[in-house]
Amino acid sequence: MKIIDITQELFSCRVYPGDKLPMYERVASVEHDKFNLTNISMSVHNGTHIDAPNHFISNGKAIHELDLSTFYGKCTVVEFEGTIGDAEIADILKNCHKRLLFKGQNELTESAAVLIANSHVKLIGVESQSVGSMEHPLDVHLILLEKEIIPLEGLDLSNVNTGEYTLSAFPLNMKDSDGSPVRAVLIEN
């Protein structure tokens, strides 16, 4: 068994334009206090994270209400550069698991998101900080989140080959939160 970390390092991660950078403050140290203690400040959408439906939908589910089985199980990693449209996603959906990760610099079109929303897929992962276009992310998010298809954004798939894996990417238990950082790994059997 091989475990591949696909998580960005938090304090050097990419962030969505306009979001606050994650920061930490050492408030106690072994040298002065006999222990280390660190405070952090960040957006729940920094680095590798998931979006809950209530990120864009007023009465959508929050992080603590999501089915945890969504975040663990068989997944398919495909590589794609550019815009993912209807034809491309239709072919991919024929042979993928419920968790689908896209390697490369890509973005889903609204029509591709509709096809995903009407499929068996429960989670979509991307390396970008947004599953939709960076210029117009709202529409793709709404299409997916209305069907409770969870975006897993900000992945680092640079050391991953295409194929089938087991994904583990659990959110933190944060009541009413609209997103959560995750430690995402792929398990290769």
Side-chain angles (χ1 to χ4, degrees):
M1 175 174 71
K2 180 179 178 183
I3 298 176
I4 306 165
D5 192 351
I6 57 172
T7 310
Q8 294 182 62
E9 190 282 319
L10 184 61
F11 298 110
S12 62
C13 71
R14 299 181 307 271
V15 298
Y16 192 83
D19 282 1
K20 181 180 174 181
L21 292 170
M23 300 176 68
Y24 70 92
E25 175 188 11
R26 183 75 65 169
V27 294
S29 68
V30 171
E31 295 77 26
H32 295 104
D33 307 295
K34 299 187 181 175
F35 61 93
N36 287 321
L37 183 63
T38 305
N39 288 339
I40 63 172
S41 172
M42 63 179 286
S43 163
V44 294
H45 299 278
N46 286 157
T48 306
H49 68 280
I50 61 165
D51 292 345
N54 73 341
H55 184 36
F56 289 103
I57 300 169
S58 63
N59 57 351
K61 286 185 179 178
I63 286 294
H64 75 284
E65 299 171 309
L66 298 176
D67 180 357
L68 290 178
S69 69
T70 301
F71 307 104
Y72 181 85
K74 292 182 179 180
C75 81
T76 305
V77 176
V78 297
E79 187 164 3
F80 197 91
E81 296 292 331
T83 303
I84 304 168
D86 296 9
E88 295 85 5
I89 202 65
D91 282 341
I92 292 167
L93 290 173
K94 291 177 188 173
N95 298 305
C96 73
H97 291 289
K98 291 180 183 180
R99 295 156 204 87
L100 177 59
L101 308 183
F102 288 98
K103 179 177 179 170
Q105 296 305 306
N106 49 64
E107 61 186 48
L108 288 171
T109 63
E110 290 175 43
S111 56
V114 168
L115 289 176
I116 292 168
N118 293 314
S119 76
H120 64 287
V121 172
K122 298 292 181 197
L123 179 144
I124 292 289
V126 294
E127 292 192 89
S128 171
Q129 291 304 112
S130 176
V131 72
S133 77
M134 294 297 280
E135 295 79 28
H136 306 286
L138 180 62
D139 295 331
V140 169
H141 278 90
L142 285 173
I143 292 165
L144 297 174
L145 290 170
E146 284 176 347
K147 294 284 188 142
E148 293 186 17
I149 297 166
I150 305 301
L152 171 59
E153 299 168 327
L155 294 170
D156 178 1
L157 298 170
S158 59
N159 295 317
V160 176
N161 294 320
T162 59
E164 296 184 359
Y165 299 87
T166 298
L167 172 70
S168 176
F170 290 104
L172 300 177
N173 188 5
M174 298 188 294
K175 186 172 181 169
D176 298 327
S177 184
D178 50 275
S180 175
V182 301
R183 181 71 179 260
V185 299
L186 292 176
I187 303 166
E188 186 176 52
N189 295 321

